[in-house]
Amino acid sequence: MKRRNFVTTGMVALAGLALILVGQGCQKENKQITLGFSQIGAESEWRTANTKSIEESAKAAGIDLKLSDAQQKQENQIKAIRSFIAQKVDVIAFSPVVETGWEPVLREAKEAKIPVILTDRAVDTKDDSLWVSFMGSDFVEEGRRAANWLVEKTKDQKDPVNIVELQGTVGSAPAIDRKKGFEEVIKDKPQFKIIRSQTGDFTRAKGKEVMEAFLKAEGKNINVLYAHNDDMAIGAIQAIEEAGLRPGKDILIISIDAVKGAFEAMMAGKLNVTVECSPLLGPQLMTAVKDLMAGKQLPKRIVTEEGVFPMETAAQEFPKRKY
Ligand code: GZL
C-alpha cells in the first residue's frame, strides 16, 4: 500500500515539474523578444533601405527593437552594444562599420550570454565563436561581377582601358572585398589598369569630391569609373558633367547596390550597370532571432542571392524594385 502511495506521489510531482518546464518553455517562446541593433548610420540610399527593412520586419515579427545609429563611428557601435548588454536584451545584431576592433566588446556579450548576429558586413576576429551567424552579400563576388561586365563590354576593344576606382569606407568589408573581387578578374588582363583609387566613404558628396580630383589629375585619360556603391557613382556623375564630359558615354560607370537612384541614372543614360547588393535583410534577421530564441542552431553564414542590372534592362526592372 505504502509503496503504491509513494509511486503515485512521485508521478504527480514529476507531472507537475513537467508542466512547469513546458510552461517556462512556452513562456520563453511566447515572451516578447528584445533585439538590440547597432546600425552604421545613414550614409547611403542602401543604408536607409536597410534600416527601414529592419524596423518594418521587427514590427511585423512582434520583436521589441532597440535600434541605435552610430553615425559611421565604430566607438558609437561599441557603446551601443555595451548598452544593449546592460539592458540585458535577448539578442544583439549589428552591421560592423569596419572589420577589426570588435573582440573586446563581443567577449563582453558572450560573457553576458547574449548571442550576436552579424548583418550586412563581416568582422575579422580570430575567435568566430564570438558571433553566431553572419548574413549578407558576398562582396568579393560583387566585385567579380562588376569586372566581368566590363570585360564583356569591352571585348572588341583593343585600346587600354584606364579605370578610376571610388572605394567604400576604409577598412570595411565591402570596400576590401569589392576591390579584391574586381582585381581578381582583371589581374591577368593587361589592357585593364586602375590608374587612380581612393575612398569616397560610400557617400555622394565624397564621391563627387574625389571624382573631381581624378578628373583634374587624369582628365580625358579616364575610360571607366568603378564605384563601390551607387551613391558615390551618383556624386561622381555630377562631377563628370560639370567637367563637360558625358557620364555613361565618355566615361563608362559601373557601381554596386542597385538602389532606386542607380536605376534613375541608368534610365537617363548616365550609369552603365549596377550590381545588386540587397539591403532587405530585415525578414531574414527576424527569422534568425526567433529561431535562436526557440533554441535552434543558425547557419554560420547566410548569403543573400543577387543579380546584375545593366542600363538596357533598367526601365523594365525599375517598377519591380523594392528599395
Ligand atoms: C553593403 C553595405 C554598403 C553599401 C553602401 O552591404 O555595407 O554600405 O554598398 C552602404 O551603399 O553604405
Side-chain angles (χ1 to χ4, degrees), residues 84-96:
F84 296 145
I85 294 170
Q87 295 174 63
K88 296 186 172 34
V89 299
D90 296 301
V91 183
I92 291 171
F94 74 116
S95 173

Side-chain angles (χ1 to χ4, degrees), residues 229-247:
N229 84 329
D230 294 332
D231 286 71
M232 293 190 292
I234 291 164
I237 284 168
Q238 289 168 15
I240 293 167
E241 288 181 316
E242 286 169 12
L245 295 170
R246 297 169 302 166

Side-chain angles (χ1 to χ4, degrees), residues 212-318:
E212 283 164 351
F214 286 164
L215 287 160
K216 215 168 265 149
E218 297 290 351
K220 292 196 171 23
N221 193 28
I222 300 170
N223 307 116
V224 176
L225 164 63
Y226 169 44
H228 289 188
N229 84 329
D230 294 332
D231 286 71
M232 293 190 292
I234 291 164
I237 284 168
Q238 289 168 15
I240 293 167
E241 288 181 316
E242 286 169 12
L245 295 170
R246 297 169 302 166
K249 298 174 185 65
D250 299 328
I251 296 178
L252 293 181
I253 304 181
I254 308 165
S255 74
I256 299 177
D257 278 352
V259 295
K260 281 199 172 69
F263 281 83
E264 286 156 352
M266 287 195 287
M267 290 187 287
K270 299 180 181 178
L271 176 70
N272 298 89
V273 61
T274 182
V275 174
E276 188 178 32
C277 173
S278 176
L280 306 179
L281 299 174
Q284 271 178 307
L285 174 59
M286 300 312 149
T287 302
V289 167
K290 287 197 164 182
D291 285 350
L292 211 47
M293 293 306 288
K296 291 181 191 157
Q297 190 76 26
L298 294 185
K300 198 71 182 170
R301 179 75 174 92
I302 304 168
V303 182
T304 35
E305 296 307 318
E306 291 145 352
V308 178
F309 296 95
M311 178 193 277
E312 298 73 18
T313 66
Q316 83 198 42
E317 288 296 331
F318 187 58

Side-chain angles (χ1 to χ4, degrees), residues 39-40 42-48 50 72 95-97 119-122 135-137 139 142 168-169 172-175 178 201-203 228-232 256-259 275 277-279 281 304 306:
Q39 180 59 293
I40 289 177
E43 73 282 2
S44 60
E45 274 188 63
W46 190 99
R47 189 63 55 198
T48 307
N50 180 244
Q72 302 278 107
S95 173
V97 62
T119 71
D120 165 27
R121 299 184 185 180
M135 61 178 67
S137 309
F139 300 134
E142 290 170 354
T169 302
S172 70
R178 285 171 182 167
D201 207 17
F202 283 134
T203 68
H228 289 188
N229 84 329
D230 294 332
D231 286 71
M232 293 190 292
I256 299 177
D257 278 352
V259 295
V275 174
C277 173
S278 176
L281 299 174
T304 35
E306 291 145 352

